[in-house]
Amino acid sequence: MNKWGFAVQIAAVYIGTVIGAGFATGKEITVFFTQFGLYGLLAICLSGFLFIFFGTKMMEKAIDLHADSYETLNRYLFGKKAAGFVNVMMMAMLFGVCGVMLSGAGAVFEEQLRVGRGTGILLTVLLAFFVMCFGIKGLLGVNTFVVPLMLLFNFLLLSQSVQSPGFIQALMARPESVDMPRALLRALSYAALNLALAQAVLVPVAAEVKDKEVVRAGGILGGLFLTLILISSHLSLVTLPDVSKVEIPMAHIVKASFPGIYFIYVLLIFGEIFTSIIGDAYGLERQMQKYMPMKSGLLYGLIFSAILLISSLHYGPLLSVLYPLFGYFSLVFMMALGIKTIRG
């Protein structure tokens, strides 16, 4: 495969890792952006720039450090003593977010497919365990298949939303209860959260590729398309009344605009949730190998058992509480990466 082919695969993994339960369903975009109206659109542009710039720098630095896990990168950013605490927090965040993803998968089965939530969660875990038996090949393969389909459906949905009556008024609305500084702070925390979580996957992948030109192209492509997906999703979500009260708002929009492809889109939402689950599980397994050297299958068994417990909580409240909290903590990570980048 040529360099562009590898760059596209890296971009797909980057996108697939970020587009998880909250992103694909629209809930996360609502919490961080759409509730702020027009300010949310400006915040998305800021987040997009951060995805492009810091995602690229993170992978380049992983190659410089020969980092096989995010622990090596954090040791470089924070020093040996502080890195221990940061790594523990990172692991807790990965487990927490994996739990959110799994709970989101259960919500898709329950709310959209009318299948029992517990059954949906168990099926997701079994499928994820099977895919991760193939290691990084399974991770790259799933993302390369699912991400292009998500892009296509997202832009198809956007083409319909912009024709909705009152679209411009909804887009330009500025809720009285919010302001620009608060929206921009959410943008910073959103980008920081996803960059901090993405390092669990991007760092070992970049170190394995060992080509700065490839990872730079992959980071730019991935960040650019993440921005475009965020914007297109936001433009669709502003047309949905009481969007904050819906668990899976994107599915409701598809049901109203394209009922013929509704079932396919729900499966695609599940696919995007699934890519984040396997991405985070891969990062956790690579990190846990340092402390618990054993067969990958056994570690994945432990990882999925732990996130099963977390997923017993309901998806909406879990996302609304954990994501902003993790986002503000992740600002420290992004600041450290920025300082190290400036200093060279």
Side-chain angles (χ1 to χ4, degrees):
M1 185 181 293
N2 60 29
K3 288 190 175 184
W4 271 107
F6 281 119
V8 169
Q9 283 197 330
I10 290 173
V13 170
Y14 191 3
I15 296 167
T17 302
V18 173
I19 302 179
F23 197 125
T25 61
K27 188 69 175 179
E28 184 178 309
I29 299 171
T30 299
V31 170
F32 280 91
F33 302 111
T34 305
Q35 66 167 316
F36 297 109
L38 181 61
Y39 297 140
L41 182 59
L42 299 175
I44 286 172
C45 294
L46 173 60
S47 288
F49 168 76
L50 296 173
F51 278 135
I52 294 170
F53 181 79
F54 284 107
T56 303
K57 294 300 180 184
M58 185 195 307
M59 288 190 283
E60 290 177 341
K61 187 55 65 177
I63 293 175
D64 290 338
L65 298 172
H66 305 287
D68 57 353
S69 74
Y70 63 80
E71 181 179 11
T72 307
L73 178 63
N74 285 332
R75 193 180 299 121
Y76 166 78
L77 295 177
F78 298 100
K80 190 173 182 179
K81 291 183 179 180
F85 171 75
V86 173
N87 287 327
V88 169
M89 287 299 299
M90 275 299 309
M91 191 170 288
M93 286 170 58
L94 284 168
F95 273 112
V97 171
C98 261
V100 172
M101 304 295 176
L102 197 54
S103 185
V108 170
F109 276 91
E110 182 178 45
E111 186 177 312
Q112 304 301 325
L113 301 177
R114 302 291 183 247
V115 175
R117 184 172 178 274
T119 301
I121 288 174
L122 184 59
L123 287 173
T124 303
V125 168
L126 292 174
L127 184 58
F129 185 83
F130 171 75
V131 169
M132 293 321 297
C133 287
F134 295 94
I136 193 169
K137 289 183 178 179
L139 179 67
L140 291 172
V142 170
N143 278 284
T144 305
F145 173 74
V146 173
V147 168
L149 290 176
M150 188 67 184
L151 287 167
L152 176 63
F153 273 74
N154 239 65
F155 294 132
L156 178 64
L157 190 59
L158 174 62
S159 68
Q160 184 70 21
S161 298
V162 296
Q163 301 177 48
S164 302
F167 169 75
I168 297 299
Q169 292 88 334
L171 175 63
M172 301 302 291
R174 289 176 289 178
E176 295 181 1
S177 59
V178 300
D179 52 33
M180 175 77 82
R182 186 180 167 204
L184 294 180
L185 180 59
R186 276 295 179 94
L188 289 171
S189 66
Y190 177 81
L193 167 65
N194 284 288
L195 285 165
L197 294 171
Q199 70 164 320
V201 182
L202 296 183
V203 167
V205 167
E208 197 161 317
V209 171
K210 299 183 179 71
D211 188 322
K212 284 193 177 183
E213 186 179 346
V214 169
V215 300
R216 191 178 299 119
I220 293 171
L221 279 175
L224 179 61
F225 276 105
L226 279 170
T227 307
L228 292 175
I229 298 171
L230 273 171
I231 291 173
S232 64
S233 297
H234 172 75
L235 295 182
S236 298
L237 289 167
V238 295
T239 64
L240 185 65
D242 298 321
V243 64
S244 298
K245 298 179 181 178
V246 183
E247 285 265 296
I248 306 180
M250 292 298 286
H252 284 265
I253 295 172
V254 173
K255 183 182 282 188
S257 302
F258 296 99
I261 63 169
Y262 169 71
F263 180 74
I264 298 173
Y265 191 79
V266 169
L267 291 179
L268 198 54
I269 287 177
F270 172 76
E272 286 299 342
I273 293 172
F274 186 74
T275 59
S276 281
I277 292 174
I278 61 175
D280 289 344
Y282 173 76
L284 280 167
E285 188 271 338
R286 291 297 296 268
Q287 181 62 25
M288 290 174 67
Q289 281 287 0
K290 291 179 172 293
Y291 305 105
M292 303 168 61
M294 61 177 70
K295 291 183 178 180
S296 294
L298 292 175
L299 278 179
Y300 282 124
L302 292 174
I303 290 166
F304 289 126
S305 296
I307 64 174
L308 265 172
L309 295 175
I310 300 171
S311 69
S312 61
L313 300 174
H314 281 286
Y315 161 67
L318 197 61
L319 185 147
S320 299
V321 173
L322 285 184
Y323 271 39
L325 179 64
F326 288 162
Y328 292 133
F329 172 79
S330 300
L331 284 171
V332 179
F333 166 78
M334 192 168 70
M335 288 172 60
L337 184 58
I339 291 170
K340 289 287 187 177
T341 297
I342 292 170
R343 290 179 177 176

